């Protein structure tokens, strides 16, 4: 059975990284979850940073993300928020949702906001997207490669090659993961 992870908003913000994370969830390697609050953060940041995109497209993106990963939304975590202590109080909703679902990992680009000693109390850890994808490569690099190929196959306007997708993932911070895929290594 797949282990449970919670994706933070910063992991779902960038297009290619989001695509990879969702495809990994769809592959069955992990059971990925997020909340409506996390999706609100993603779409509001996209709206601010991409005023050229009409708001209805962000609503459609949200809908597609929810449809892509069955049972991805976490509910009922709100009562846990007030009792949690984190360096950034605005991140408590992420930890509360992870606790609610018994997540083993919070995947986030903001590792400093989730101290290991706090997460250890809940038997979980925070991992960067790069560390997380490296773990998936170690579990089954063929599935990760299939995800990369699926992303390339889905990009038609303009068309993208596997190498283009790897370059985009590397630019999104998956430096070690892309290196491992390119060299055939499945370890750090």
């Amino acid at each position: 059975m797949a282990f449970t992870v919670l994706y933070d908003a910063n992991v779902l913000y960038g297009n290619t990284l989001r695509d990879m994370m969702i495809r990994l969830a769809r592959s069955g390697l992990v059971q990925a979850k997020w909340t409506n609050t996390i999706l609100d953060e993603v779409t509001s940041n996209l709206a601010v940073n991409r005023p050229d995109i009409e708001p209805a497209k962000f609503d459609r993106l949200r809908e597609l993300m929810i449809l892509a990963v069955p049972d991805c939304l976490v509910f009922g975590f709100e009562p846990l928020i007030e009792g949690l202590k984190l360096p950034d109080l605005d991140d408590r909703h992420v930890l509360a949702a992870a606790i609610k679902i018994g997540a083993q990992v919070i995947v986030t680009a903001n590792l400093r906001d989730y101290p290991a000693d706090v997460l250890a109390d809940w038997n979980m850890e925070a991992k960067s997207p790069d560390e997380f994808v490296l773990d998936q490569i170690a579990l089954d690099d063929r599935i990760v490669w299939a995800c990369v190929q699926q992303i390339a196959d889905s990009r038609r306007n303009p068309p993208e090659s596997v190498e283009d997708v790897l370059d985009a993932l590397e630019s999104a911070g998956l430096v070690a993961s892309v290196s491992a895929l390119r060299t055939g290594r499945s370890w750090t």
Side-chain angles (χ1 to χ4, degrees), residues 55 69 108 111:
V69 181
T108 181
L111 295 175

Side-chain angles (χ1 to χ4, degrees), residues 32-48:
K33 304 265 190 181
W34 52 78
T35 67
N36 278 314
T37 306
I38 288 169
L39 290 178
D40 290 344
E41 191 176 334
V42 170
T43 56
S44 68
N45 285 330
L46 282 169
V48 167

Side-chain angles (χ1 to χ4, degrees), residues 99-114:
I99 291 166
K100 176 72 178 178
I101 61 171
Q104 290 92 355
V105 173
I106 296 172
V107 184
T108 181
N110 295 328
L111 295 175
R112 71 184 181 287
D113 292 339
Y114 301 95

Side-chain angles (χ1 to χ4, degrees), residues 172 180 183:
T183 62

Side-chain angles (χ1 to χ4, degrees), residues 7 11-27 34 61 65 68-69 133 144 146-155 160 165 168-169 172 174:
Y7 290 165
V11 172
L12 297 171
Y13 176 82
N15 186 41
T16 305
L17 180 58
R18 176 180 55 246
D19 202 350
M20 174 59 98
M21 300 309 251
I22 288 174
R23 288 178 193 278
L24 286 171
R26 290 179 54 83
S27 77
W34 52 78
L61 172 63
M65 290 172 66
V69 181
V133 173
V144 179
C147 292
V148 171
Q149 183 66 58
Q150 290 166 8
I151 294 169
D153 291 347
S154 73
R155 304 282 171 89
E160 290 187 18
V165 173
L169 290 170
L174 299 188

Side-chain angles (χ1 to χ4, degrees), residues 79-121:
L80 301 172
I81 295 172
E82 282 303 312
L84 298 173
K85 304 287 186 250
L86 286 175
D88 182 347
L89 295 179
D90 290 339
D91 287 327
R92 294 179 302 168
H93 69 97
V94 175
L95 178 56
I99 291 166
K100 176 72 178 178
I101 61 171
Q104 290 92 355
V105 173
I106 296 172
V107 184
T108 181
N110 295 328
L111 295 175
R112 71 184 181 287
D113 292 339
Y114 301 95
D117 60 325
V118 173
L119 298 185
D121 291 341

